[in-house]
Amino acid sequence: MTDQQQAAAVEAEAAGRGGLDQRELDELVASSDTGGRSVGGPVGILLMLTALAWSLFQLYIASPFGLFNDTLARSIHLGFAVFLGILAFPAARTKFQMVLGIVVPLALAGLFMVSAKDGVAVWWIPLPAIAVAATVVLGSPKTRIPIWEWVLAIAGALAALYLFFFYRDIADRVGAPILQDYVVAVIGITILLEATRRALGPALMIVASVFLMYTVLGPQMPSIIAHKGNSLSEIVNHQWITTEGVFGIALGVSTSFVFLFVLFGSLLDRAGAGNYFIQVAFSLMGHMKGGPAKAAVVSSAMTGLISGSSIANVVTTGTFTIPLMKKVGFSSEKAGAVEVASSVNGQIMPPVMGAAAFLMVEYVGIPYPEVVKHALLPATISYIALVYIVHLEALKAGMEGLPRPVAPKPWVAWLMSLAFTVAVICALSYAVYFLMGWIRPAFPETAGYIIFVFLTAVYVGLLYVASREEPLKLDDPNAPVTRLPIPGPTVRSGLHFILPIVVLVWALMVDRLSPGLSAFWATCYMIFILLTQRPLMAMFRGESQFANDVKEGFFDLIDGLVTGARNMIGIGIATATAGIIVGAVSQTGVGAALADVVEVLSGGNMLAILALTAVLSLILGMGLPTTANYIVVSALLAPVIVTLGQQNGLIVPLIAVHLFVFYFGIMADVTPPVGLASFAAAAVSGGDPIKTGGIAFFYSLRTAALPFLFLYNTELLLIDVTWAQGIFVFIIATVAMLLFAAATQGWFLAKNRFYESAALLLIAFTLFRPGYWMDMVSPPYLEQPPVEIVEAAALTPLGDELRLRVAGLDSFGDPIEFVALLPITTDGTGAERLEAAGLEFIETDGKMVIDNVVFGSPAANAGLDWDQEVLRVLKPVPQPSKYLMFIPALLLLAGVVMLQRGRNGRSPKKVAAA
């Protein structure tokens, strides 16, 4: 090859990667997730050993023999995170961040001085802020760590460890901090915010600082959000000394659950699972129209199962998928947008959900398997719809897939495609539950050993099968593609990666262990695989060098443990800083004030309330990592929907509300101008980041529509449905979402005309919410006067709910109206049923007033209380099946199909011209 040809090849490769080489892409991931500073020598070894120690500590406290006080564990967890956060991330990436690193600490210092009361000396308060600002001014190079960085990191770690060292003393003086508490808290909060700015960018630091300012300046706020204001003593006690703020639930979940799952994902990826997922997706789907894009969606979905970062997902899979998408005809922006939409969707896919699943366990108060069950169907439907969107894009552009190595029989191809349109993890979960669940009751004492021996035998067998195949290698996506991997050998080469997931499912669903302990056992099995797969594979291939293979396996394990800890730096810091926001919300009561603001702006219209909440979730989520994003939006906006929904007659399970705000919070990773995942994809594709974000948001409309739908139709979350109903809902909802995608993409069987898109939207809405139209035809409730509540209770079917519109006072003494659902759980007369529900009434001047509510009764749980007046009684009445509305919807769909079939055979260019 001549020099000119070599130069042309290098230029072509740079163009394929968007001008970034692999080193620059690795730096992009590092700067976002594991730390942008690369330090060698003894300092680099020290950082590695610190990360390793963190992983080992987390494994110890998660183990059955790791008895450790939860608060002390949180303190150590944050100490590691802050220490590594300061040392692994340089002080400033941009001038704007540098300015923030100087201004924000000094502004907070002034704020703390203003709020210092009760004779607290203030001369020392600016010193931590000055020290932080000085480190930013002095600078911190990427290749070494100056002395002032060490001082800052050690001071931050010691402040975090304060609860560990002085736990008993602090417990004796809760609510009465001493000067030592003030000093440590001010230093800790200041350095924590600096670590947040370094590791996560300015967004979360600014939001947390604003909430601290709001905590102090409450009396100066507009009347609708004003409060009494809090002193430095109250802030120190609430935010740092107790578990209401920084060391609250969010950091506890990061300590107990999240670290183990992130570590599990890191070890799984280090073993080769990430490459395996990509290769399998391409071998099965790369031959289809727009095949690389479909494979990108599937591989990102599988990577999202074990990843807690949408940005890492974009860069990890996008490095391979984006150039191949461009090769088959996608523009740079569309290729990047497909990768962004699929990678961000990985954050809504159980079992990890960017760590939000574990937070929901604590915030919603339901078991982890229930969270997974409720979140699974919308996430799966969303991914199927994204594959369909890619298919439509390929049809519009007349794209073809990549050449396949072998042409399987049609039924084989159909089965392979079907395998990726169902929830693989769900199928695996239920297979483990039903096929292996009998072992525990049959052998209660030895079931764990039996499972280990059985899985190990399967593991050895699968490794033997894999050893017969060629090792998987991640090809250069910019090289000419002659053929795709052969599906059979590709799938067989990594089936053993499923076994740790089997262990996880067994622990969660059969043994009903906590998520943390379940992840511990799954991680232990993953460690076993990492240490043994190289020696066994080499032995089966007749290439054994036992000592060297074991050593390489040990190095893989160390690398996985270190990478897992470094992946946790941002999450650990994010959960702690988000705790400041949660603490401020509980301390100031801003949640109730925000509900008033939303109600005023929306005029009380429920759809407007939800739309405003969605927009606020998008705004609050901008620039935040997934975990912090969920903590912030759930603390601020979930109570808004619950409160205003109850006042307006929309009463839904709490999990639906939390999923609603979570979905819109993560949409901020897509949405311009701050969509971090879109910027990462544009860096790989070479496209315009704003345009990439705009297209990705358009592709993600299906994800934005789902939360509105499952709030009004909770069957989508598999709430109170049977197996048969769940399957039926899945099929109908999937069809509806595909029709919604076809309408928004402007293409179904052929290019849509405007009235066809409108018809498809109407059909999709009817399939999603048939009850909306049926309620118009036959109202589900009959309104009766309040004085007839006894008769209404008598006529309410057993097991159903009586809806009561009541007026009373809220917890602040302000007038409020809301709808309460009173369950009728016993048979008898109306009076006996109301008495069994815990209610007693008194009639005064034609008004029905609640005279007594039994503590802990169904009535008390419904929110009813003494002296509330019943305004309306809504008795449930028989109603025709809402699914009758499917008949006109399907007839309309048949009409659209007939209209488009005549245009289906024409070429895309001719159709576009039409």
Side-chain angles (χ1 to χ4, degrees):
M1 181 182 287
T2 66
D3 292 342
Q4 288 180 339
Q5 288 174 323
Q6 288 179 339
V10 171
E11 186 177 345
E13 180 177 354
R17 291 187 186 277
L20 296 181
D21 58 25
Q22 188 59 48
R23 178 185 57 79
E24 290 171 316
L25 290 171
D26 291 339
E27 288 180 0
L28 178 64
V29 177
S31 65
S32 300
D33 290 311
T34 59
R37 181 178 270 144
S38 177
V39 185
V43 174
I45 294 173
L46 176 61
L47 291 182
M48 184 200 75
L49 292 176
T50 304
L52 179 63
W54 191 10
S55 287
L56 294 176
F57 167 74
Q58 295 289 158
L59 282 170
Y60 167 72
I61 63 172
S63 67
F65 43 85
L67 301 177
F68 213 83
N69 181 290
D70 187 44
T71 303
L72 303 185
R74 295 178 192 184
S75 176
I76 296 173
H77 180 82
L78 182 58
F80 274 115
V82 171
F83 182 78
L84 289 172
I86 295 293
L87 296 182
F89 292 87
R93 304 179 202 170
T94 65
K95 289 183 179 179
F96 173 67
Q97 288 196 26
M98 185 174 178
V99 171
L100 282 176
I102 299 169
V103 173
V104 172
L106 296 175
L108 284 177
L111 190 75
F112 289 149
M113 293 177 72
V114 169
S115 63
K117 299 175 183 176
D118 306 322
V120 177
V122 297
W123 62 268
W124 57 270
I125 292 178
L127 297 180
I130 293 171
V132 168
T135 62
V136 177
V137 172
L138 291 171
S140 55
K142 288 186 176 183
T143 55
R144 64 183 181 86
I145 303 175
I147 185 64
W148 51 84
E149 300 271 282
W150 286 103
V151 173
L152 199 65
I154 293 170
L158 290 176
L161 291 169
Y162 183 63
L163 265 68
F164 175 78
F165 290 122
F166 296 95
Y167 180 73
R168 293 189 179 277
D169 294 338
I170 292 170
D172 292 336
R173 60 170 186 270
V174 172
I178 59 175
L179 180 60
Q180 178 177 293
D181 299 336
Y182 284 97
V183 173
V184 171
V186 170
I187 292 174
I189 291 173
T190 305
I191 297 179
L192 174 61
L193 291 175
E194 168 62 10
T196 303
R197 185 189 63 80
R198 292 176 181 227
L200 304 166
L204 185 56
M205 177 202 195
I206 292 172
V207 173
S209 300
V210 167
F211 272 88
L212 283 173
M213 292 177 184
Y214 175 72
T215 303
V216 174
L217 303 176
Q220 283 73 47
M221 295 291 115
S223 59
I224 195 168
I225 60 170
H227 65 97
K228 69 177 184 62
N230 297 98
S231 67
L232 182 60
S233 172
E234 293 168 326
I235 293 172
V236 165
N237 186 70
H238 199 80
Q239 295 285 8
W240 201 265
I241 302 303
T242 65
T243 55
E244 298 295 325
V246 170
F247 297 96
I249 290 176
L251 187 63
V253 171
S254 176
T255 306
S256 304
F257 305 152
V258 178
F259 193 104
L260 267 294
F261 277 87
V262 170
L263 182 61
F264 175 68
S266 173
L267 294 174
L268 198 57
D269 186 61
R270 190 68 189 86
N275 178 26
Y276 173 70
F277 289 158
I278 294 173
Q279 295 279 23
V280 167
F282 269 85
S283 69
L284 295 178
M285 307 189 76
H287 65 282
M288 301 176 181
K289 290 182 182 294
K294 293 175 182 175
V297 174
V298 174
S299 59
S300 291
M302 291 189 290
T303 304
L305 294 173
I306 59 173
S307 171
S309 168
S310 54
I311 297 170
N313 197 338
V314 164
V315 178
T316 303
T317 58
T319 304
F320 186 72
T321 60
I322 289 175
L324 286 175
M325 281 190 267
K326 292 168 66 177
K327 192 167 293 184
V328 296
F330 282 86
S331 67
S332 296
E333 286 78 17
K334 285 189 176 181
V338 169
E339 183 59 49
V340 168
S342 53
S343 295
V344 170
N345 255 42
Q347 304 303 287
I348 66 174
M349 177 64 79
V352 177
M353 297 170 64
F358 316 116
L359 290 160
M360 287 181 190
V361 170
E362 298 296 325
Y363 289 162
V364 182
I366 61 176
Y368 176 76
E370 288 292 307
V371 172
V372 171
K373 183 185 83 172
H374 297 321
L376 181 65
L377 195 58
T380 305
I381 292 170
S382 186
Y383 263 116
I384 293 173
L386 184 56
V387 172
Y388 184 58
I389 287 172
V390 168
H391 179 71
L392 294 176
E393 288 284 1
L395 284 178
K396 287 190 279 186
M399 297 178 193
E400 296 298 329
L402 297 172
R404 63 193 310 170
V406 292
K409 296 177 181 179
W411 66 270
V412 175
W414 183 83
L415 283 177
M416 289 191 301
S417 299
L418 179 66
F420 281 91
T421 59
V422 297
V424 177
I425 295 301
C426 181
L428 178 66
S429 300
Y430 284 104
V432 171
Y433 184 77
F434 287 107
L435 297 180
M436 298 169 60
W438 59 271
I439 298 176
R440 173 60 69 187
F443 305 96
E445 300 298 326
T446 57
Y449 301 104
I450 293 172
I451 291 296
F452 177 77
V453 172
F454 170 72
L455 288 180
T456 302
V458 173
Y459 165 63
V460 173
L462 291 177
L463 268 188
Y464 178 77
V465 171
S467 69
R468 304 296 94 186
E469 311 297 343
E470 288 293 323
L472 285 183
K473 293 181 180 178
L474 194 61
D475 301 323
D476 183 358
N478 299 289
V481 179
T482 56
R483 62 176 187 172
L484 291 166
I486 301 174
T490 304
V491 172
R492 289 194 295 270
S493 65
L495 287 172
H496 57 285
F497 293 131
I498 297 175
L499 297 179
I501 300 175
V502 171
V503 174
L504 180 64
V505 172
W506 167 274
L508 284 170
M509 299 187 66
V510 178
D511 278 355
R512 297 282 177 173
L513 301 180
S514 69
L517 192 54
S518 300
F520 169 78
W521 290 119
T523 302
C524 287
Y525 202 80
M526 195 63 243
I527 290 172
F528 168 71
I529 288 177
L530 264 175
L531 290 174
T532 58
Q533 74 170 354
R534 282 182 184 271
L536 288 175
M537 193 80 80
M539 184 179 69
F540 290 142
R541 287 180 174 148
E543 305 167 352
S544 179
Q545 296 178 327
F546 186 76
N548 187 60
D549 293 333
V550 170
K551 183 176 74 172
E552 287 190 15
F554 179 75
F555 286 152
D556 284 342
L557 171 60
I558 297 299
D559 186 59
L561 292 172
V562 171
T563 303
R566 295 193 68 146
N567 284 337
M568 270 300 301
I569 295 172
I571 297 176
I573 290 172
T575 51
T577 307
I580 293 176
I581 300 167
V582 175
V585 170
S586 63
Q587 194 169 24
T588 61
V590 67
L594 194 59
D596 292 339
V597 172
V598 171
E599 186 174 27
V600 168
L601 293 176
S602 65
N605 181 277
M606 198 60 222
L607 273 179
I609 289 170
L610 294 178
L612 272 171
T613 307
V615 171
L616 286 172
S617 298
L618 272 175
I619 294 171
L620 286 170
M622 284 184 178
L624 301 188
T626 303
T627 312
N629 190 323
Y630 170 67
I631 296 167
V632 172
V633 296
S634 63
L636 281 173
L637 298 175
V640 172
I641 297 180
V642 172
T643 302
L644 298 181
Q646 191 177 26
Q647 292 177 19
N648 290 273
L650 178 66
I651 302 175
V652 293
L654 193 56
I655 182 67
V657 175
H658 278 253
L659 284 173
F660 180 92
V661 296
F662 175 59
Y663 268 52
F664 281 102
I666 64 164
M667 286 288 287
D669 265 354
V670 177
T671 312
V674 192
L676 299 181
S678 299
F679 277 85
V684 179
S685 71
D688 177 76
I690 301 298
K691 190 175 178 182
T692 299
I695 297 173
F697 182 79
F698 191 62
Y699 288 162
S700 300
L701 283 176
R702 75 211 185 284
T703 307
L706 276 170
F708 286 96
L709 295 167
F710 62 57
L711 271 187
Y712 285 98
N713 183 6
T714 55
E715 290 177 348
L716 284 170
L717 301 179
L718 299 180
I719 294 175
D720 296 330
V721 296
T722 63
W723 269 88
Q725 289 173 324
I727 294 171
F728 177 74
V729 167
F730 173 69
I731 294 171
I732 295 298
T734 301
V735 171
M737 186 52 71
L738 296 183
L739 294 175
F740 177 83
T744 55
Q745 292 301 305
W747 194 285
F748 185 35
L749 302 179
K751 183 178 180 181
N752 295 344
R753 293 183 173 132
F754 75 92
Y755 53 84
E756 291 170 340
S757 291
L760 289 173
L761 286 173
L762 180 61
I763 296 165
F765 177 76
T766 303
L767 294 179
F768 272 123
R769 275 211 68 203
Y772 178 82
W773 306 112
M774 184 55 72
D775 290 350
M776 291 184 177
V777 176
S778 175
Y781 296 99
L782 178 65
E783 184 173 342
Q784 294 186 264
V787 293
E788 296 181 13
I789 188 171
V790 175
E791 292 82 351
L795 296 174
T796 300
L798 189 64
D800 217 328
E801 293 169 322
L802 191 64
R803 296 174 76 95
L804 306 177
R805 181 92 187 169
V806 299
L809 301 177
D810 63 13
S811 55
F812 298 98
D814 298 322
I816 187 175
E817 288 187 16
F818 64 96
V819 174
L821 300 182
L822 185 66
I824 302 299
T825 56
T826 58
D827 214 343
T829 65
E832 290 170 344
R833 287 180 162 192
L834 291 175
E835 184 179 354
L839 268 185
E840 294 181 15
F841 291 94
I842 184 170
E843 185 175 348
T844 307
D845 299 329
K847 297 180 181 179
M848 293 297 291
V849 179
I850 298 176
D851 190 44
N852 186 34
V853 176
V854 178
F855 179 76
S857 65
N861 294 335
L864 299 174
D865 207 347
W866 293 326
D867 294 333
Q868 289 175 344
E869 180 189 350
V870 178
L871 302 177
R872 288 193 299 166
V873 177
L874 296 173
K875 181 189 72 173
V877 296
Q879 187 185 35
S881 173
K882 62 183 179 180
Y883 298 118
L884 291 174
M885 291 294 129
F886 287 174
I887 297 174
L890 294 176
L891 289 174
L892 182 58
L893 178 61
V896 174
V897 171
M898 290 178 64
L899 286 171
Q900 293 204 351
R901 282 188 66 182
R903 310 197 302 272
N904 190 27
R906 297 158 62 186
S907 70
K909 291 184 178 179
K910 290 180 179 179
V911 173

